[in-house]
Amino acid sequence: MAITRSAHAVWSGDLFSGTGTVTASSSGAYNELPVSWKARSDEAAGPSTSPEELVAAAHASCFCMALSARLGADRKVATRLEADATVTFELFEGGAKVASSALKVVGEVPDMSEADFQQAAEDAKNGCPISTAMAGNVELSVEASLA
């Protein structure tokens, strides 16, 4: 069974001063979210997002789901998983690339050791569908700890 999701993007203007929007076509969860080159290439971008920030959101949420499933395999249920994904966008002569996605997770998992949680997080990082989509092209890492 295959499930599809879609988004719609609109862009106006040149790369550096142009602006755009992205809309979640499938779910309607967000509508005309602003995107810009400045958000992609400048730390102080203002209220606009970037493809990399959207990838970070996708990676963090996918990772939490994968970690929850991995914990379930050990008959553990997290009271809370809080994850951040930091996606690095690098500009270089002749191009640009997404270089890395660094995950950081803090979990509340009753009756689980720190070592077992770290192993589960590593397994989830390697198995989450967003990670597997980036594997081989983007450096992936995870830092995990229990609250």
Side-chain angles (χ1 to χ4, degrees):
M1 178 169 115
I3 305 296
T4 61
R5 298 289 181 252
S6 60
H8 177 76
V10 175
W11 187 265
S12 298
D14 67 16
L15 175 61
F16 300 110
S17 63
T19 60
T21 60
V22 63
T23 297
S25 303
S26 303
S27 68
Y30 53 89
N31 188 36
E32 296 187 4
L33 190 64
V35 295
S36 68
W37 175 257
K38 184 173 175 113
R40 203 169 196 187
S41 62
D42 185 345
E43 295 279 337
S48 185
T49 192
S50 69
E52 291 71 30
E53 187 174 52
L54 296 168
V55 168
H59 200 196
S61 60
C62 182
F63 170 77
C64 281
M65 291 179 203
L67 182 51
S68 180
R70 172 60 178 75
L71 293 171
D74 288 343
R75 293 188 167 92
K76 302 289 184 184
V77 177
T79 305
R80 183 177 179 89
L81 297 173
E82 200 165 322
D84 294 301
T86 302
V87 171
T88 302
F89 177 66
E90 289 183 354
L91 297 169
F92 56 89
E93 179 136 355
K97 69 176 184 173
V98 172
S100 65
S101 184
L103 295 159
K104 184 175 182 178
V105 62
V106 176
E108 294 175 18
V109 186
D111 303 319
M112 185 165 219
S113 73
E114 191 81 29
D116 288 345
F117 183 69
Q118 289 174 0
Q119 183 60 57
E122 185 68 28
D123 293 347
K125 178 211 41 142
N126 293 332
C128 115
I130 299 298
S131 289
T132 60
M134 293 190 286
N137 296 309
V138 175
E139 181 184 335
L140 302 174
S141 63
V142 65
E143 179 184 326
S145 62
L146 291 170

